Amino acid sequence: MKAVYEDAGKIFAELVEIDSPSLKEKKMAEHIREMFRRLGVELTEDDSAEVTGSDAGNLYGCVKGGKEGKPILLSAHMDTVMPAYGKKAIFGANGEVRSDGTTVLGADDLAGVTAIYEAVKYLRENQITHCDIELLFTTGEEIYGKGAKAFDYGRLNADRAYVLDLSGRIGDAAYAAPSILSFTACMEGKAAHAGFCPEEGVNAIAAASRVIASLRQGRIDEETTANIGMISGGRGINIVSPECVVRGEVRSLKHEKAVEFLREYREAFEKAAEESGGRLYWEESVDIRAYETGLDSQTVTAYRKAAEKAGIEARMVKTFGGSDENVYFQYGIEGIVMATSMNCVHSCREYTNIHEIVSVTEILIHLLTGENE
């Protein structure tokens, strides 16, 4: 697929040069709409920006293919993490592409956008019969699927999705991902002069430190992780600290387990506040909910066959990262998240490989033209 390889490199480089940090996806959305318009595919922008605060909405479109059966949803996100301004695609040997080292590359998720575009382009230019394709390019995915949460799912007819947004070996696909619950624990103590009358104060930092030291963190078991990632507080080194704010998260492949573990955290902070004579203000949120697509499902079976036809070994994996599929699953759309040549993501060492993007494109082509199972 030489032509696909050459075009994929060009398309990817064009996308990389567009600044699209989360909630600033307008230019990216305009460019993607024009790309698909050249293929005769119209993408419409929804009104989710009113909810998300982005300067653009999600893009949705449908590509008729002539095969009977329900459409398949292909999805990727338009936003990138920071630092994301002034990105450049630096091409190296053997198809490798990196940033210049001062920004992320944006392969997460522009490699996914490129592969979807190339698959649709190949099918249309070669007039190949395929199943109907629904396309969804979202905003704010890096903020726990913010754009996907604001989409109107009454517009979709697909009941299975292939989300192109996973690091790892090409052929890998995540069939399960965790719930992510975040929390803020604000310990309130009492200020006092640390030299003259420390006994009159209640040191919130000390109270918070005791409870943090007692909590289980890191990998709790094969399904669950927990982390306290931020702590702040105090007004001066000569003041008994009247407040301490602690922030963290719990992840688990089982939603109920995440909820229960977070309850353990809250109770520990409540006990520490009571024992110290202070108070606790607690906030928590379910950022995304866990999903698990059956290994014997049509979604997985079709993917395995498509990868095999492309000469690639399919491996089904569990991931501890979230994606838009976590959101789609809550609306009855079972799916998997495909590895899409994004490596060292969320860092300035991020890189991709055009050969691998083409391999992903080949899997998509076989997926879209294969027999309905």
Side-chain angles (χ1 to χ4, degrees):
M1 302 181 76
K2 182 178 179 181
V4 173
Y5 173 83
E6 294 173 347
D7 192 59
K10 176 177 176 290
I11 293 299
F12 180 76
E14 289 177 355
L15 291 169
V16 167
E17 290 185 358
I18 301 170
D19 297 332
S20 59
S22 298
L23 306 187
K24 298 292 182 182
E25 299 97 344
K26 182 178 181 179
K27 290 181 179 179
M28 182 65 72
E30 290 173 347
H31 186 82
I32 291 174
R33 288 186 72 178
E34 181 56 33
M35 284 168 49
F36 280 90
R37 188 176 292 118
R38 293 196 297 266
L39 301 181
V41 176
E42 188 65 34
L43 299 177
T44 60
E45 184 175 342
D46 70 8
D47 59 2
S48 60
E50 298 176 6
V51 177
T52 64
S54 174
D55 58 5
N58 302 303
L59 298 181
Y60 165 79
C62 185
V63 185
K64 296 295 184 180
K67 286 178 69 74
E68 293 185 1
K70 300 199 76 171
I72 287 175
L73 174 63
L74 299 183
S75 178
H77 63 86
M78 297 185 286
D79 60 321
T80 62
V81 298
M82 294 290 283
Y85 288 103
K87 304 187 309 300
K88 295 180 178 62
I90 309 299
F91 286 77
N94 302 316
E96 188 171 283
V97 188
R98 296 181 178 271
S99 73
D100 65 4
T102 64
T103 69
V104 297
L105 176 63
D108 177 12
D109 192 19
L110 301 179
V113 175
T114 301
I116 292 172
Y117 171 81
E118 290 298 325
V120 173
K121 182 171 184 283
Y122 182 87
L123 293 172
R124 291 183 73 82
E125 289 186 346
N126 292 279
Q127 300 181 359
I128 298 172
T129 301
H130 57 84
C131 68
D132 290 351
I133 309 165
E134 290 188 303
L135 302 172
L136 183 54
F137 299 102
T138 61
T139 64
E141 187 276 341
E142 298 290 2
I143 315 174
Y144 299 116
K146 199 163 190 176
K149 290 175 181 176
F151 184 69
D152 175 9
Y153 289 89
R155 304 178 68 171
L156 293 181
N157 293 306
D159 58 9
R160 57 186 173 125
Y162 296 90
V163 178
L164 283 78
D165 189 19
L166 183 70
S167 296
R169 166 193 166 278
I170 301 304
D172 287 1
Y175 70 97
S179 286
I180 303 178
L181 281 57
S182 60
F183 70 89
T184 299
C186 181
M187 299 287 285
E188 184 181 90
K190 180 181 178 183
H193 195 287
F196 293 123
C197 51
E199 62 280 350
E200 295 181 7
V202 175
N203 194 313
I205 291 177
S209 297
R210 286 192 294 272
V211 67
I212 291 169
S214 72
L215 292 172
R216 294 184 291 165
Q217 293 191 62
R219 189 167 299 283
I220 308 305
D221 56 37
E222 63 181 10
E223 296 180 326
T224 310
T225 64
N227 183 63
I228 291 175
M230 298 177 67
I231 181 169
S232 60
R235 299 180 183 177
I237 62 173
N238 61 345
I239 303 172
V240 175
S241 177
E243 73 278 317
C244 183
V245 179
V246 180
R247 294 185 174 93
E249 65 162 35
V250 173
R251 300 186 183 214
S252 182
L253 296 170
K254 297 289 189 293
H255 181 73
E256 295 75 14
K257 184 180 286 188
V259 172
E260 180 59 33
F261 199 81
L262 188 58
R263 183 179 297 115
E264 178 181 316
Y265 266 40
R266 177 171 184 166
E267 290 174 353
F269 276 100
E270 288 174 337
K271 182 179 179 182
E274 181 180 353
E275 291 178 346
S276 67
R279 289 190 296 179
L280 173 68
Y281 296 93
W282 177 271
E283 293 182 357
E284 63 181 61
S285 64
V286 178
D287 297 316
I288 56 173
R289 289 183 65 98
Y291 77 87
E292 182 169 339
T293 295
L295 291 175
D296 59 350
S297 65
Q298 180 183 9
T299 304
V300 172
T301 300
Y303 178 77
R304 289 187 189 278
K305 291 183 176 180
E308 181 181 358
K309 289 179 181 179
I312 297 169
E313 178 191 5
R315 296 191 311 193
M316 307 311 297
V317 302
K318 295 181 179 181
T319 179
F320 272 84
S323 75
D324 284 335
E325 176 53 30
N326 288 77
V327 181
Y328 302 157
F329 197 84
Q330 308 309 314
Y331 289 90
I333 305 170
E334 69 170 29
I336 56 177
V337 185
M338 297 169 52
T340 318
S341 193
M342 49 182 77
N343 307 283
C344 297
V345 298
H346 294 200
S347 81
C348 295
R349 297 177 289 107
E350 185 183 14
Y351 68 95
T352 189
N353 188 290
I354 301 302
H355 292 292
E356 292 184 345
I357 293 177
V358 172
S359 293
V360 176
T361 301
E362 290 176 338
I363 294 174
L364 289 180
I365 290 169
H366 289 298
L367 188 64
L368 297 167
T369 58
E371 296 296 324
N372 291 324
E373 302 301 327

